[in-house]
Amino acid sequence: MKLVLASKNQKKLTEMNDILARLGVEVCSEAEAGVDLEVEETGTTFEANSLLKAKAVMEASGLPAIADDSGLCVECLGGAPGVYSARYGGEGLDDIARYRLLLENMRGQMTRAAKFVSVITCCFPNGDVLTARGECAGTIAYAPMGEGGFGYDPVFFVPELKKTFAQLSAEEKNAVSHRGKALEAFQKKLEEYLK
Ligand code: IMP
C-alpha cells in the first residue's frame, strides 16, 4: 500500500518510512505523487492541522494521504510554541535561529518541562479517516547539544536517556519520540483497518 506524505520535510518522510515499512506500507513524497501544495495551517490544534493537510493532499492526489502535525509545547511558556513551532519567531528564521529564540525566551527559567506532540491523520479517498496521537516528555536544555535530527532536537533533553534528541541515532529517537509513538498507534489502527 502506498501513502502520500502531506509534507515537504524529507526527514519526516524518512522517519515515517523507517517505521511503516514493517507493515509493508510505502510512504512517498508529494512530489512523487505529482502534488505541490502549500496548505495553510489555520487550525489551533494539532488534530485540526493534521486533518487539513492530509485531506488536501488526498483530494489533490486521489491517493490515501498521511499527515503529521507536530510541535513542541513548553510548560513555562503556556504551551508555546505548540502548533506554531514551525513558524516560531516568524517565517524568516531557520531551525537554529528558532531554538536560539526559544532558549532566549526561557532565560532564567528553572522550570523547563516540555513535551513534543505528534498527531497523525490518514485520509482515504472513500472518506475514511484514521487518527493517532503520540507525546514525548522531556525538558529544554540550557544549551544545544548534538548534531542529529532537525528542528528543536538539539535543545530537547530526554531525562531517562540523558541525551537530547539530536544526540540519539534515528532508531533511538524513533523508539521514544512523539512521532514514533503516534506512528506505532497509527500502525495498529491501520492494521485493524486493512483487515
Ligand atoms: P509541522 O511540519 O507543521 O508539523 O511543524 C512541526 C514543527 O515542530 C517542525 O518544523 C519543528 O520545528 C517542530 N518539530 C516537530 N517534530 C520535531 C522533532 O521530532 N524534532 C524537532 N522538532 C520537531
Side-chain angles (χ1 to χ4, degrees):
M1 181 183 186
K2 195 164 175 168
L3 302 179
V4 186
L5 175 64
S7 169
K8 299 200 169 52
N9 185 328
Q10 187 59 39
K11 299 227 167 123
K12 273 192 189 177
L13 183 66
T14 308
E15 284 188 6
M16 294 233 177
N17 266 313
D18 283 350
I19 295 168
L20 292 179
R22 333 172 178 133
L23 267 192
V25 171
E26 184 202 338
V27 186
C28 77
S29 66
E30 287 182 25
E32 285 170 78
V35 172
D36 184 14
L37 286 184
E38 270 320 319
V39 182
E40 234 193 303
E41 296 183 25
T42 51
T44 55
T45 62
F46 295 111
E47 279 77 5
N49 285 333
S50 181
L51 178 61
L52 275 176
K53 291 189 273 189
K55 192 161 182 281
V57 171
M58 178 275 288
E59 283 171 353
S61 66
L63 292 168
I66 184 173
D68 150 82
D69 197 59
S70 48
L72 179 64
C73 304
V74 180
E75 204 177 286
C76 69
L77 299 178
V83 291
Y84 306 105
S85 294
R87 294 166 271 166
Y88 191 50
E91 300 286 348
L93 302 189
D94 62 9
D95 279 356
I96 297 174
R98 263 190 292 274
Y99 72 60
R100 283 191 180 145
L101 175 67
L102 180 74
L103 292 180
E104 188 56 37
N105 290 343
M106 290 180 69
R107 207 206 283 239
Q109 280 288 352
M110 302 297 280
T111 308
R112 304 186 73 87
K115 65 178 178 183
F116 264 122
V117 177
S118 162
V119 174
I120 307 264
T121 304
C122 185
C123 289
F124 294 88
N126 67 359
D128 289 345
V129 176
L130 299 180
T131 307
R133 184 183 176 102
E135 297 191 358
C136 178
T139 62
I140 302 302
Y142 288 89
M145 288 179 288
E147 307 292 329
F150 67 99
Y152 300 89
D153 280 352
V155 298
F156 188 77
F157 186 78
V158 187
E160 298 81 55
L161 303 176
K162 296 191 172 57
K163 284 182 181 169
T164 66
F165 265 3
Q167 293 175 306
L168 301 178
S169 67
E171 294 71 36
E172 287 170 329
K173 180 181 170 185
N174 289 342
V176 297
S177 79
H178 51 311
R179 194 167 305 102
K181 288 178 188 161
L183 278 170
E184 203 179 295
F186 172 70
Q187 185 184 329
K188 289 196 182 114
K189 290 193 178 179
L190 185 61
E191 254 172 326
E192 203 49 41
Y193 178 78
L194 295 175
K195 260 185 196 165

